[in-house]
């Protein structure tokens, strides 16, 4: 018992199971007056205040949020820190957007000082939005990965990242080779994977920017380090899919390319998957691979409407998390992202309720990453990553949530109207990492 406990008290919501697959009423926990006791970075106990009040340590600092809503920290399962500076780049779909904006911006991350500055801004922005974990694309330069891990490590965040591997179809200044990508990724993996709360993701950008030799190297690296992650993009845009088909005519489809090189399994995160086929969903299910649903990005780039209902079909469910996909995505807020996921689902004839959406932003993301034994819910033994939402954050939110008849309605309105303003406080490993009103 080395360190004093941190205690949060207030209304509390979290998921204990997948509401797409089980009865949402039993998957969702709402504690009108809850308490979380945190010590040494972990949750020591959590439950109703009345049941736990006698167990609150005398040395504890108690943070009482009677008007707040305590949730597990949000998990952003797909985001590019190196694109923070190009959010809102006008007028293009994926392939032109990459060439005109993205590949230009990412070249600046060869400079470690610039990378460090943006990495700091990025981590602060995650925390301001209640995001305590993220799976992050850096740039092709190893120093861009070092910069991010330094900043995330300083904040004790559970963050996963990797060096982009890309050896064709981009400006020369952004290209590596199959061999250098292997060597540099391996060195970064050995330096960072499992240090503090940091984890490494083998990160081929997408099939169009890797040669077969480089995808082969990525697969070999994963076989050598199977506890690492694989992070890439798939089936986002129709023009992209046509191009990838022409680059790999010998493969049955987009997912089959990654599968052929041994890159599809547990801890694989495939961003987008907007146009995946039924057979490809089936393959993701069999392999345990996950999809990052990035609705603000898919709408901003005009990519298409992801089928959350098809992905989560109980007959062959696929793991799905939410991704901001900054900078094609337009918000760091997973509340806002959930609100856009609702609208995308509407256009597919599916009503994504607040409980399922909260699952995607928390426990669902943790399961997608294979980290649900550590993050994504509020339970003794789990890491104490928490966000305190404020249903009265703005005059409009206050007016609207006063009229809500249930906790589900409050949550849904927070997803419709909320953003960073609705995040009152963020706790990382039991310590306050962001307080909206200072102190
Ligand atoms: N596909 C390949 N690279 C990217 C990227 O940087 N952003 C998005 N949205 N899609 C991609
Ligand atoms: Zn992306």
């Amino acid at each position: 018992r080395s360190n004093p406990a941190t205690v949060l008290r207030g209304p509390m919501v979290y998921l204990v199971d997948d509401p797409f697959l089980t009865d949402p009423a039993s998957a969702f926990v709402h504690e009108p007056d809850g308490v979380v006791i945190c010590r040494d970075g972990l949750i020591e106990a959590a439950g109703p205040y009345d049941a736990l009040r006698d167990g609150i340590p005398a040395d504890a600092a108690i943070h009482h949020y009677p008007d707040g809503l305590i949730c597990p920290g949000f998990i952003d399962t797909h985001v590019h820190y190196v694109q923070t500076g190009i959010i809102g780049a006008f007028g293009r779909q994926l392939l032109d957007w990459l060439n005109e904006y993205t590949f230009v911006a990412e070249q600046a991350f060869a400079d470690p000082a610039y990378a460090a500055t943006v990495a700091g801004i990025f981590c602060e922005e995650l925390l301001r939005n209640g995001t305590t974990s993220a799976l992050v694309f850096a740039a092709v330069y190893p120093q861009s990965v070092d910069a991010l891990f330094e900043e995330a490590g300083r904040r004790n965040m559970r963050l996963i990242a990797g060096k982009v591997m890309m050896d064709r179809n981009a400006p020369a200044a952004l290209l590596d080779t199959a061999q250098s990508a292997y060597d540099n990724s391996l060195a970064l993996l050995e330096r960072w994977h499992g240090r503090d709360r940091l984890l490494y993701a083998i990160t081929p950008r997408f099939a169009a920017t890797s040669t077969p030799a480089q995808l082969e190297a990525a697969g070999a690296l994963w076989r050598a380090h199977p506890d690492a992650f694989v992070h890439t993009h798939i089936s986002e845009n129709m023009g992209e899919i046509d191009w990838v088909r022409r680059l790999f005519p010998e493969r049955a489809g987009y997912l089959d390319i990654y599968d052929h090189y041994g890159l599809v399994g547990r801890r694989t995160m495939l961003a987008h998957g907007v146009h995946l086929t039924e057979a490809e969903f089936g393959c993701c299910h069999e392999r345990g691979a996950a999809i990052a649903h990035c609705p603000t990005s898919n709408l901003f780039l005009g990519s298409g409407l992801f089928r959350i209902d098809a992905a989560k079909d109980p007959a062959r469910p696929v793991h799905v998390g939410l991704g901001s996909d900054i900078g094609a995505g337009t918000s760091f807020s997973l509340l806002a992202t959930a609100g856009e996921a609702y609208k995308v689902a509407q256009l597919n004839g599916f009503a994504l309720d607040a409980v399922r959406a909260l699952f995607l932003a928390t426990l669902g993301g943790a399961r997608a990453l294979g980290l649900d034994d550590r993050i994504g819910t509020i339970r003794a033994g789990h890491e104490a990553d928490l966000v305190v939402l404020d249903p009265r954050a703005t005059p409009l939110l206050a007016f609207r949530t006063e009229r809500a008849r249930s906790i589900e309605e409050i949550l849904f309105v927070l997803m419709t109207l909320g953003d960073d303003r609705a995040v009152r406080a963020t706790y990382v490993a039991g310590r306050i990492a962001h307080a909206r009103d200072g102190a």
Side-chain angles (χ1 to χ4, degrees), residues 36 42 61 148 206 234 257 407:
V36 195
L42 301 179
L148 179 63
F206 68 147
I234 195 165
I257 299 167
I407 186 69

Side-chain angles (χ1 to χ4, degrees), residues 235-297:
S235 295
E236 176 178 3
N237 166 287
M238 295 310 287
E240 169 215 12
I241 294 167
D242 287 346
W243 186 32
V244 165
R245 231 176 233 298
R246 279 181 271 119
L247 290 169
F248 292 89
E250 71 283 10
R251 301 266 63 92
Y254 204 150
L255 183 65
D256 185 51
I257 299 167
Y258 297 138
D259 197 37
H260 176 78
Y261 293 102
L263 292 168
V264 183
R266 202 71 186 103
R267 287 181 304 285
T268 297
M269 184 60 74
L270 305 162
H272 305 298
V274 170
H275 306 285
L276 287 174
T277 64
E278 175 55 37
E280 288 175 317
F281 278 135
C283 179
C284 288
H285 168 77
E286 277 170 29
R287 300 279 189 276
I291 300 170
H293 175 29
C294 309
T296 75
S297 168

Side-chain angles (χ1 to χ4, degrees), residues 80 83 94 97-98 102 205-206 233 236 272 297 301 325 328:
H80 301 250
Q83 296 175 13
L94 177 65
W97 175 86
L98 284 172
T102 316
R205 180 170 214 120
F206 68 147
H233 296 92
E236 176 178 3
H272 305 298
S297 168
L301 292 181
D325 195 30

Side-chain angles (χ1 to χ4, degrees), residues 57-348:
D59 63 348
I62 300 179
H63 305 269
H64 195 192
Y65 301 102
D67 303 321
L69 197 53
I70 302 167
C71 307
F74 298 138
I75 301 170
D76 188 340
T77 60
H78 178 70
V79 56
H80 301 250
Y81 99 84
V82 293
Q83 296 175 13
T84 304
I86 57 160
I87 298 167
F90 175 77
R92 292 303 197 172
Q93 288 211 352
L94 177 65
L95 299 178
D96 294 321
W97 175 86
L98 284 172
N99 284 315
E100 287 182 31
Y101 301 113
T102 316
F103 290 161
V104 179
E106 292 191 8
Q107 293 182 44
F109 288 79
D111 173 4
Y114 181 71
T117 300
V118 179
I121 291 168
F122 172 81
C123 288
E124 287 304 300
E125 201 58 34
L126 291 181
L127 297 172
R128 282 170 25 73
N129 282 278
T131 299
T132 49
S133 281
L135 172 58
V136 189
F137 263 67
V140 72
Y141 315 108
Q143 58 269 34
S144 71
V145 181
D146 288 327
L148 179 63
F149 278 139
E150 293 280 355
E151 293 298 324
R154 204 194 306 289
R155 292 164 177 83
N156 200 20
M157 298 171 74
R158 183 160 288 292
L159 184 130
I160 315 162
K163 181 202 108 65
V164 174
M165 307 170 75
M166 50 193 307
D167 66 347
R168 62 168 164 174
N169 292 321
L174 277 182
L175 297 182
D176 52 16
T177 66
Q179 190 63 48
S180 73
Y182 184 96
D183 294 345
N184 288 328
S185 299
L186 174 60
L188 288 164
L189 191 158
E190 288 177 335
R191 187 176 316 147
W192 294 107
H193 188 62
R195 188 202 279 201
D196 302 325
R197 303 178 70 200
L198 307 170
L199 296 162
Y200 194 80
I202 299 161
T203 308
R205 180 170 214 120
F206 68 147
T209 47
S210 287
T211 59
Q214 185 169 71
L215 293 177
E216 184 82 53
L221 183 56
W222 202 25
R223 279 192 295 284
H225 294 275
D227 61 338
F229 294 74
V230 170
H231 189 193
T232 189
H233 296 92
I234 195 165
S235 295
E236 176 178 3
N237 166 287
M238 295 310 287
E240 169 215 12
I241 294 167
D242 287 346
W243 186 32
V244 165
R245 231 176 233 298
R246 279 181 271 119
L247 290 169
F248 292 89
E250 71 283 10
R251 301 266 63 92
Y254 204 150
L255 183 65
D256 185 51
I257 299 167
Y258 297 138
D259 197 37
H260 176 78
Y261 293 102
L263 292 168
V264 183
R266 202 71 186 103
R267 287 181 304 285
T268 297
M269 184 60 74
L270 305 162
H272 305 298
V274 170
H275 306 285
L276 287 174
T277 64
E278 175 55 37
E280 288 175 317
F281 278 135
C283 179
C284 288
H285 168 77
E286 277 170 29
R287 300 279 189 276
I291 300 170
H293 175 29
C294 309
T296 75
S297 168
N298 298 158
L299 296 171
F300 185 77
L301 292 181
S303 301
L305 305 171
F306 178 69
R307 293 290 310 263
I308 185 78
D309 55 327
K312 298 291 296 186
D313 182 346
R316 46 122 197 81
V318 178
H319 294 292
V320 177
L322 282 184
S324 69
D325 195 30
I326 296 293
T330 54
S331 176
F332 273 86
S333 170
L334 288 193
L335 290 174
T337 304
E340 295 307 288
Y342 171 79
K343 296 174 192 170
V344 167
Q346 276 281 46
L347 289 165
N348 286 323

